[in-house]
PDB file of all heavy atoms in Angstrom:
ATOM      1  N   ARG C 109      61.953  85.128  71.660  1.00  0.00           N
ATOM      2  CA  ARG C 109      60.748  85.373  70.854  1.00  0.00           C
ATOM      3  C   ARG C 109      59.706  84.303  71.126  1.00  0.00           C
ATOM      4  O   ARG C 109      58.488  84.622  71.299  1.00  0.00           O
ATOM      5  CB  ARG C 109      61.150  85.310  69.344  1.00  0.00           C
ATOM      6  CG  ARG C 109      60.046  85.831  68.454  1.00  0.00           C
ATOM      7  CD  ARG C 109      60.380  85.526  66.980  1.00  0.00           C
ATOM      8  NE  ARG C 109      61.574  86.272  66.463  1.00  0.00           N
ATOM      9  CZ  ARG C 109      61.556  87.554  66.061  1.00  0.00           C
ATOM     10  NH1 ARG C 109      60.433  88.218  66.115  1.00  0.00           N
ATOM     11  NH2 ARG C 109      62.617  88.097  65.605  1.00  0.00           N
ATOM     12  N   GLU C 110      60.168  83.043  71.270  1.00  0.00           N
ATOM     13  CA  GLU C 110      59.185  81.970  71.494  1.00  0.00           C
ATOM     14  C   GLU C 110      58.460  82.108  72.814  1.00  0.00           C
ATOM     15  O   GLU C 110      57.307  81.678  72.906  1.00  0.00           O
ATOM     16  CB  GLU C 110      59.915  80.585  71.421  1.00  0.00           C
ATOM     17  CG  GLU C 110      60.324  80.196  70.014  1.00  0.00           C
ATOM     18  CD  GLU C 110      61.193  78.943  70.017  1.00  0.00           C
ATOM     19  OE1 GLU C 110      62.121  78.833  70.849  1.00  0.00           O
ATOM     20  OE2 GLU C 110      60.938  78.103  69.193  1.00  0.00           O
ATOM     21  N   ILE C 111      59.133  82.648  73.817  1.00  0.00           N
ATOM     22  CA  ILE C 111      58.404  82.744  75.087  1.00  0.00           C
ATOM     23  C   ILE C 111      57.785  84.126  75.256  1.00  0.00           C
ATOM     24  O   ILE C 111      57.381  84.524  76.334  1.00  0.00           O
ATOM     25  CB  ILE C 111      59.361  82.416  76.265  1.00  0.00           C
ATOM     26  CG1 ILE C 111      60.612  83.308  76.243  1.00  0.00           C
ATOM     27  CG2 ILE C 111      59.767  80.961  76.286  1.00  0.00           C
ATOM     28  CD1 ILE C 111      61.431  83.147  77.519  1.00  0.00           C
ATOM     29  N   LYS C 112      57.747  84.866  74.113  1.00  0.00           N
ATOM     30  CA  LYS C 112      57.004  86.133  74.061  1.00  0.00           C
ATOM     31  C   LYS C 112      57.538  87.170  75.001  1.00  0.00           C
ATOM     32  O   LYS C 112      56.826  87.826  75.707  1.00  0.00           O
ATOM     33  CB  LYS C 112      55.510  85.875  74.349  1.00  0.00           C
ATOM     34  CG  LYS C 112      54.904  84.728  73.521  1.00  0.00           C
ATOM     35  CD  LYS C 112      53.635  85.133  72.852  1.00  0.00           C
ATOM     36  CE  LYS C 112      52.956  84.051  72.070  1.00  0.00           C
ATOM     37  NZ  LYS C 112      53.821  83.069  71.413  1.00  0.00           N
ATOM     38  N   VAL C 113      58.862  87.367  74.983  1.00  0.00           N
ATOM     39  CA  VAL C 113      59.491  88.417  75.758  1.00  0.00           C
ATOM     40  C   VAL C 113      59.302  89.692  74.933  1.00  0.00           C
ATOM     41  O   VAL C 113      59.565  89.701  73.747  1.00  0.00           O
ATOM     42  CB  VAL C 113      60.992  88.111  75.959  1.00  0.00           C
ATOM     43  CG1 VAL C 113      61.656  89.339  76.626  1.00  0.00           C
ATOM     44  CG2 VAL C 113      61.147  86.917  76.842  1.00  0.00           C
ATOM     45  N   THR C 114      58.805  90.745  75.537  1.00  0.00           N
ATOM     46  CA  THR C 114      58.644  91.979  74.813  1.00  0.00           C
ATOM     47  C   THR C 114      59.469  93.087  75.446  1.00  0.00           C
ATOM     48  O   THR C 114      60.016  92.927  76.551  1.00  0.00           O
ATOM     49  CB  THR C 114      57.109  92.418  74.926  1.00  0.00           C
ATOM     50  OG1 THR C 114      56.767  92.427  76.317  1.00  0.00           O
ATOM     51  CG2 THR C 114      56.274  91.483  74.157  1.00  0.00           C
ATOM     52  N   ASN C 115      59.558  94.238  74.736  1.00  0.00           N
ATOM     53  CA  ASN C 115      60.344  95.359  75.252  1.00  0.00           C
ATOM     54  C   ASN C 115      59.923  95.707  76.673  1.00  0.00           C
ATOM     55  O   ASN C 115      58.742  95.747  76.992  1.00  0.00           O
ATOM     56  CB  ASN C 115      60.103  96.575  74.384  1.00  0.00           C
ATOM     57  CG  ASN C 115      61.192  96.644  73.332  1.00  0.00           C
ATOM     58  OD1 ASN C 115      62.306  96.163  73.527  1.00  0.00           O
ATOM     59  ND2 ASN C 115      60.904  97.267  72.149  1.00  0.00           N
ATOM     60  N   GLY C 116      60.924  95.994  77.470  1.00  0.00           N
ATOM     61  CA  GLY C 116      60.642  96.450  78.851  1.00  0.00           C
ATOM     62  C   GLY C 116      60.344  95.275  79.780  1.00  0.00           C
ATOM     63  O   GLY C 116      60.013  95.500  80.968  1.00  0.00           O
ATOM     64  N   ALA C 117      60.458  94.063  79.296  1.00  0.00           N
ATOM     65  CA  ALA C 117      60.120  92.905  80.146  1.00  0.00           C
ATOM     66  C   ALA C 117      61.094  92.847  81.307  1.00  0.00           C
ATOM     67  O   ALA C 117      62.294  93.196  81.189  1.00  0.00           O
ATOM     68  CB  ALA C 117      60.286  91.621  79.295  1.00  0.00           C
ATOM     69  N   LYS C 118      60.587  92.440  82.464  1.00  0.00           N
ATOM     70  CA  LYS C 118      61.434  92.289  83.629  1.00  0.00           C
ATOM     71  C   LYS C 118      61.831  90.814  83.741  1.00  0.00           C
ATOM     72  O   LYS C 118      61.033  89.958  83.745  1.00  0.00           O
ATOM     73  CB  LYS C 118      60.665  92.674  84.918  1.00  0.00           C
ATOM     74  CG  LYS C 118      60.471  94.129  85.040  1.00  0.00           C
ATOM     75  CD  LYS C 118      60.055  94.521  86.461  1.00  0.00           C
ATOM     76  CE  LYS C 118      60.119  96.012  86.607  1.00  0.00           C
ATOM     77  NZ  LYS C 118      58.924  96.561  87.286  1.00  0.00           N
ATOM     78  N   ILE C 119      63.167  90.619  83.831  1.00  0.00           N
ATOM     79  CA  ILE C 119      63.675  89.298  84.000  1.00  0.00           C
ATOM     80  C   ILE C 119      64.254  89.219  85.387  1.00  0.00           C
ATOM     81  O   ILE C 119      65.199  89.962  85.699  1.00  0.00           O
ATOM     82  CB  ILE C 119      64.815  89.039  82.943  1.00  0.00           C
ATOM     83  CG1 ILE C 119      64.355  89.360  81.546  1.00  0.00           C
ATOM     84  CG2 ILE C 119      65.340  87.607  83.080  1.00  0.00           C
ATOM     85  CD1 ILE C 119      63.561  88.299  80.842  1.00  0.00           C
ATOM     86  N   MET C 120      63.696  88.370  86.237  1.00  0.00           N
ATOM     87  CA  MET C 120      64.193  88.291  87.616  1.00  0.00           C
ATOM     88  C   MET C 120      65.248  87.173  87.643  1.00  0.00           C
ATOM     89  O   MET C 120      65.016  86.084  87.101  1.00  0.00           O
ATOM     90  CB  MET C 120      63.065  87.869  88.579  1.00  0.00           C
ATOM     91  CG  MET C 120      61.880  88.833  88.609  1.00  0.00           C
ATOM     92  SD  MET C 120      62.338  90.425  89.317  1.00  0.00           S
ATOM     93  CE  MET C 120      62.787  89.974  90.963  1.00  0.00           C
ATOM     94  N   VAL C 121      66.336  87.449  88.315  1.00  0.00           N
ATOM     95  CA  VAL C 121      67.396  86.446  88.435  1.00  0.00           C
ATOM     96  C   VAL C 121      67.580  86.134  89.916  1.00  0.00           C
ATOM     97  O   VAL C 121      67.751  87.084  90.724  1.00  0.00           O
ATOM     98  CB  VAL C 121      68.750  86.931  87.839  1.00  0.00           C
ATOM     99  CG1 VAL C 121      69.778  85.841  87.968  1.00  0.00           C
ATOM    100  CG2 VAL C 121      68.523  87.321  86.386  1.00  0.00           C
ATOM    101  N   VAL C 122      67.541  84.878  90.282  1.00  0.00           N
ATOM    102  CA  VAL C 122      67.764  84.473  91.654  1.00  0.00           C
ATOM    103  C   VAL C 122      69.015  83.641  91.645  1.00  0.00           C
ATOM    104  O   VAL C 122      69.138  82.750  90.804  1.00  0.00           O
ATOM    105  CB  VAL C 122      66.563  83.642  92.186  1.00  0.00           C
ATOM    106  CG1 VAL C 122      66.783  83.276  93.642  1.00  0.00           C
ATOM    107  CG2 VAL C 122      65.238  84.398  92.005  1.00  0.00           C
ATOM    108  N   GLY C 123      69.928  83.910  92.593  1.00  0.00           N
ATOM    109  CA  GLY C 123      71.082  83.080  92.644  1.00  0.00           C
ATOM    110  C   GLY C 123      72.187  83.767  93.410  1.00  0.00           C
ATOM    111  O   GLY C 123      72.128  84.984  93.615  1.00  0.00           O
ATOM    112  N   SER C 124      73.173  82.985  93.815  1.00  0.00           N
ATOM    113  CA  SER C 124      74.255  83.555  94.602  1.00  0.00           C
ATOM    114  C   SER C 124      75.554  83.292  93.899  1.00  0.00           C
ATOM    115  O   SER C 124      75.756  82.260  93.320  1.00  0.00           O
ATOM    116  CB  SER C 124      74.321  82.889  95.967  1.00  0.00           C
ATOM    117  OG  SER C 124      73.078  82.942  96.570  1.00  0.00           O
ATOM    118  N   THR C 125      76.450  84.280  93.918  1.00  0.00           N
ATOM    119  CA  THR C 125      77.776  84.023  93.359  1.00  0.00           C
ATOM    120  C   THR C 125      78.532  83.057  94.311  1.00  0.00           C
ATOM    121  O   THR C 125      78.114  82.893  95.441  1.00  0.00           O
ATOM    122  CB  THR C 125      78.590  85.338  93.288  1.00  0.00           C
ATOM    123  OG1 THR C 125      78.790  85.818  94.594  1.00  0.00           O
ATOM    124  CG2 THR C 125      77.882  86.394  92.451  1.00  0.00           C
ATOM    125  N   ILE C 126      79.590  82.486  93.799  1.00  0.00           N
ATOM    126  CA  ILE C 126      80.360  81.518  94.567  1.00  0.00           C
ATOM    127  C   ILE C 126      80.728  82.184  95.905  1.00  0.00           C
ATOM    128  O   ILE C 126      80.632  81.575  96.993  1.00  0.00           O
ATOM    129  CB  ILE C 126      81.644  81.107  93.843  1.00  0.00           C
ATOM    130  CG1 ILE C 126      81.269  80.418  92.531  1.00  0.00           C
ATOM    131  CG2 ILE C 126      82.485  80.216  94.706  1.00  0.00           C
ATOM    132  CD1 ILE C 126      80.612  79.063  92.696  1.00  0.00           C
ATOM    133  N   ASN C 127      81.191  83.471  95.844  1.00  0.00           N
ATOM    134  CA  ASN C 127      81.614  84.098  97.100  1.00  0.00           C
ATOM    135  C   ASN C 127      80.481  84.170  98.088  1.00  0.00           C
ATOM    136  O   ASN C 127      80.647  83.954  99.260  1.00  0.00           O
ATOM    137  CB  ASN C 127      82.093  85.523  96.772  1.00  0.00           C
ATOM    138  CG  ASN C 127      83.341  85.496  95.969  1.00  0.00           C
ATOM    139  OD1 ASN C 127      84.020  84.449  95.864  1.00  0.00           O
ATOM    140  ND2 ASN C 127      83.709  86.590  95.360  1.00  0.00           N
ATOM    141  N   ASP C 128      79.270  84.520  97.599  1.00  0.00           N
ATOM    142  CA  ASP C 128      78.112  84.579  98.486  1.00  0.00           C
ATOM    143  C   ASP C 128      77.885  83.207  99.114  1.00  0.00           C
ATOM    144  O   ASP C 128      77.569  83.087 100.258  1.00  0.00           O
ATOM    145  CB  ASP C 128      76.831  84.990  97.761  1.00  0.00           C
ATOM    146  CG  ASP C 128      76.982  86.395  97.170  1.00  0.00           C
ATOM    147  OD1 ASP C 128      77.864  87.112  97.649  1.00  0.00           O
ATOM    148  OD2 ASP C 128      76.224  86.723  96.247  1.00  0.00           O
ATOM    149  N   VAL C 129      78.016  82.195  98.270  1.00  0.00           N
ATOM    150  CA  VAL C 129      77.714  80.844  98.775  1.00  0.00           C
ATOM    151  C   VAL C 129      78.745  80.476  99.828  1.00  0.00           C
ATOM    152  O   VAL C 129      78.373  79.898 100.851  1.00  0.00           O
ATOM    153  CB  VAL C 129      77.778  79.834  97.605  1.00  0.00           C
ATOM    154  CG1 VAL C 129      77.695  78.404  98.178  1.00  0.00           C
ATOM    155  CG2 VAL C 129      76.620  80.098  96.644  1.00  0.00           C
ATOM    156  N   LEU C 130      79.977  80.894  99.609  1.00  0.00           N
ATOM    157  CA  LEU C 130      81.024  80.596 100.580  1.00  0.00           C
ATOM    158  C   LEU C 130      80.721  81.334 101.888  1.00  0.00           C
ATOM    159  O   LEU C 130      80.872  80.844 102.982  1.00  0.00           O
ATOM    160  CB  LEU C 130      82.394  80.955 100.075  1.00  0.00           C
ATOM    161  CG  LEU C 130      82.854  80.107  98.874  1.00  0.00           C
ATOM    162  CD1 LEU C 130      84.194  80.548  98.377  1.00  0.00           C
ATOM    163  CD2 LEU C 130      82.872  78.633  99.247  1.00  0.00           C
ATOM    164  N   ALA C 131      80.306  82.577 101.747  1.00  0.00           N
ATOM    165  CA  ALA C 131      79.985  83.394 102.913  1.00  0.00           C
ATOM    166  C   ALA C 131      78.684  82.901 103.524  1.00  0.00           C
ATOM    167  O   ALA C 131      78.433  83.089 104.724  1.00  0.00           O
ATOM    168  CB  ALA C 131      79.909  84.862 102.552  1.00  0.00           C
ATOM    169  N   VAL C 132      77.850  82.348 102.700  1.00  0.00           N
ATOM    170  CA  VAL C 132      76.623  81.648 103.021  1.00  0.00           C
ATOM    171  C   VAL C 132      75.641  82.426 103.866  1.00  0.00           C
ATOM    172  O   VAL C 132      74.436  82.339 103.757  1.00  0.00           O
ATOM    173  CB  VAL C 132      76.846  80.248 103.551  1.00  0.00           C
ATOM    174  CG1 VAL C 132      76.613  80.069 105.014  1.00  0.00           C
ATOM    175  CG2 VAL C 132      76.004  79.271 102.732  1.00  0.00           C
ATOM    176  N   ASN C 133      76.120  83.222 104.817  1.00  0.00           N
ATOM    177  CA  ASN C 133      75.239  83.874 105.764  1.00  0.00           C
ATOM    178  C   ASN C 133      74.880  85.267 105.367  1.00  0.00           C
ATOM    179  O   ASN C 133      75.625  85.863 104.615  1.00  0.00           O
ATOM    180  CB  ASN C 133      75.828  83.939 107.134  1.00  0.00           C
ATOM    181  CG  ASN C 133      76.179  82.548 107.676  1.00  0.00           C
ATOM    182  OD1 ASN C 133      75.496  81.608 107.296  1.00  0.00           O
ATOM    183  ND2 ASN C 133      77.175  82.435 108.434  1.00  0.00           N
TER     184      ASN C 133
END
Side-chain angles (χ1 to χ4, degrees):
R109 190 190 296 277
E110 286 173 316
I111 56 172
K112 311 230 182 327
V113 173
T114 52
N115 266 333
K118 285 195 171 136
I119 308 279
M120 301 293 297
V121 181
V122 182
S124 308
T125 62
I126 298 289
N127 293 344
D128 297 340
V129 171
L130 294 178
V132 108
N133 301 329

